[in-house]
Amino acid sequence: EELEVVGTGVDVGELFADHAIPTDPPPSFYPLHLPFLRKLAALSMPSSPTLFALLYSPLPAIRHLTLTPYDELSVPSTLVPQFIAHHGDKLTSLHLYTVKQWPTTLFPSPPALLDICPSLRHVSLELPLPLLTLSNSEKHKLEILSIPRPKQDFWFVLERLLPKLPSLRFVRARDVKWLRDGMSDRAQQAGVQGEMLLWRKRLTRRGIHLLDADWRVGSSSPV
């Protein structure tokens, strides 16, 4: 029902490789039989025989997916965008996360995630935050959006999407915590805390709660 596999990240050679990614499995390929796999995590794994096998195997029960994002422009050999596209229609939770190890290299995520995964209830994005689009005329079912931290440029992306996200109830800043009681007003309004206050004000008007890393809602003064 649950599987986690961890790779070693990007090999330097993969950054310059220019070999085509197969669009179909070879005739000798035998798919895996995993009818009950509902939760899969594949971290630091742009490509591998395991990821290839999972990509082309039916995963009828898959609902929760955690991946380290890689894009085909930076890492031509990656299977990650294909994997999301192939299994995305069944997902209710998608967590994009890059393991923090030195040196950490962050790669873009697909901007069309919401179109690719129409049944998502929770999506957690990684830096750099994608310029999300939603071309489908129907409203999306997303309820929880997690981002590393609020950023002014991403607010404009989110603001354009809000009319198509009627079920959105929570935006979570997963790498940030509200300041504890007793901190000065100047501290609460500076830097990322000030950005969180601004986001909270904007989101509250739309009936959406801003949560911190501990899933806490800020009070009249962040705590």
Side-chain angles (χ1 to χ4, degrees):
E1 295 184 7
E2 298 186 19
L3 173 64
E4 178 175 331
V5 288
V6 180
T8 57
V10 176
D11 185 281
V12 175
E14 291 180 308
L15 295 174
F16 307 100
D18 193 23
H19 54 273
I21 301 173
T23 56
D24 294 296
S28 58
F29 176 76
Y30 188 81
L32 303 174
H33 182 62
L34 298 169
F36 304 112
L37 183 65
R38 59 181 179 81
K39 189 173 183 179
L40 170 65
L43 297 173
S44 300
M45 187 173 294
S47 62
S48 72
T50 300
L51 198 61
F52 183 89
L54 290 166
L55 169 62
Y56 291 113
S57 297
L59 303 177
I62 192 72
R63 296 295 180 272
H64 307 279
L65 180 61
T66 300
L67 290 172
T68 298
Y70 297 96
D71 68 307
E72 293 161 326
L73 183 62
S74 305
V75 188
S77 61
T78 184
L79 297 172
V80 169
Q82 278 186 252
F83 200 96
I84 297 173
H86 192 77
H87 295 292
D89 61 327
K90 299 184 286 292
L91 298 177
T92 59
S93 175
L94 174 63
H95 188 181
L96 299 175
Y97 176 72
T98 301
V99 178
K100 302 305 184 284
Q101 56 188 14
W102 191 91
T104 299
T105 304
L106 300 170
F107 295 96
S109 307
L113 280 175
L114 297 179
D115 282 321
I116 296 170
C117 309
S119 299
L120 277 185
R121 298 300 197 276
H122 180 197
V123 63
S124 184
L125 302 176
E126 179 60 283
L127 295 173
L129 293 172
L131 298 176
L132 288 178
T133 59
L134 188 55
S135 60
N136 197 321
S137 59
E138 296 182 6
K139 309 295 186 182
H140 199 279
K141 302 174 182 178
L142 190 69
E143 298 173 3
I144 304 172
L145 169 66
S146 293
I147 57 177
R149 59 184 60 210
K151 297 176 73 70
Q152 180 65 20
D153 53 354
F154 186 71
W155 169 255
F156 298 114
V157 176
L158 177 59
E159 189 176 35
R160 289 195 298 269
L161 291 175
L162 287 176
K164 294 185 177 182
L165 302 174
S167 300
L168 187 65
R169 291 295 174 265
F170 301 100
V171 173
R172 178 182 175 233
R174 70 167 190 257
D175 293 345
V176 183
K177 294 183 180 181
W178 292 111
L179 290 179
R180 64 183 184 275
D181 286 325
M183 300 298 291
S184 68
D185 290 343
R186 178 176 294 182
Q188 292 174 357
Q189 296 173 11
V192 68
Q193 289 292 318
E195 192 69 24
M196 288 181 71
L197 285 171
L198 181 60
W199 275 55
R200 185 182 67 184
K201 182 179 180 180
R202 292 167 171 171
L203 292 170
T204 299
R205 290 198 294 260
R206 295 167 167 84
I208 301 170
H209 298 290
L210 179 64
L211 309 177
D212 71 357
D214 294 330
W215 296 86
R216 293 186 301 173
V217 180
S219 58
S220 56
S221 295
V223 295

